[in-house]
Amino acid sequence: MNLILLGAPGAGKGTQAEILKEKLGIPTISTGNILREAVKNETPLGLEAKGYMDSGKLVPDALVISIIEERLKKDDCKNGFILDGFPRTIPQAEALEEGGVHIDKALEIAVRDEVIVSRLSGRRVCHGCGAPYHMISCPPPADNVCPKCGGEIIIRKDDLPETIKHRLDVYHEQTEPLKGFYGEKGKLAAVNGENGIEETTRLALEALGV
Ligand code: AMP
C-alpha cells in the first residue's frame, strides 16, 4: 500500500505513521525527520532548510521533491510506503504524479485548530531518533533521556508558541487544498484524530480496509 498521511502539524501523523509502519510492514518516510537529521548534521541540505523550518515556513518544493524522489528509489519501498509530511503543497503532489508514483490512499487525520495548539505546545521529540513524546499523553522520562536511543528529548524550535500559529496558517493555505486534490481522485479518507492514539489507529485501519 502506498499511503499518504495528511493533516495539520500536531494532528498525530508522526505517531500514527510509526504505528502503521509496524502493522502494515512498510517503511515510513517523514520529510520533517529527514530534514531535521540534515539540520543536525549540518549538511548542505540542512543548512539551506534550517531557516525555513525554525520559522515555521515550508522548505522550497524543489528541495523536498528531490529528497522524496531519492528515498522512494530505495528497495524497502517496493512493497509500499507511508508518506508523513509529504506532499504538503499541490506542486509536490503533482511532482509525485509526474514521477509515476502511484498513491492508493491519502488519509487525513482531522483535528481542530484549538486542539492542535494545546497539543503542539506540549510536544517533545528525541533529538537522537525522532521518537515523539508529549507532556500529557506520552510524557518523557524526568531526565529527558530517550529510552529508545539514549538521545536527548527536546522541544522543537517550531513548536514554540509564536511559531505554532504561523504553521497552522501555512497548513490551511498551502496543504489543505490537497484534500480536494486527492478527493477528486476518490483517494481521500478522513478519520477523527481527537480521541487518543489507539482510537485514531483503529479508525485509520478501518478506513484503509486492513
Ligand atoms: P514536520 O515534522 O512534518 O512538521 O516538518 C517540520 C518542518 O519541516 C516543516 O515546518 C517544514 O519547514 C519542513 N517540511 C517538512 N516536510 C515538508 C514538505 N513536504 N514541504 C516543505 N517543507 C517541509
Side-chain angles (χ1 to χ4, degrees), residues 181-195:
F181 183 92
Y182 289 109
E184 280 166 18
K185 298 175 198 298
K187 292 184 175 177
L188 183 72
V191 294
N192 182 339
E194 293 189 3
N195 296 319

Side-chain angles (χ1 to χ4, degrees), residues 151-199:
E152 186 191 1
I153 297 167
I154 57 160
I155 304 181
R156 284 164 45 171
K157 279 210 179 101
D158 55 355
D159 283 341
L160 294 172
E162 60 272 26
T163 318
I164 292 174
K165 185 182 175 308
H166 181 61
R167 292 173 69 204
L168 274 172
D169 290 344
V170 169
Y171 171 73
H172 289 304
E173 278 164 29
Q174 301 198 52
T175 307
E176 216 167 11
L178 290 173
K179 290 199 258 174
F181 183 92
Y182 289 109
E184 280 166 18
K185 298 175 198 298
K187 292 184 175 177
L188 183 72
V191 294
N192 182 339
E194 293 189 3
N195 296 319
I197 294 173
E198 278 175 27
E199 174 63 2

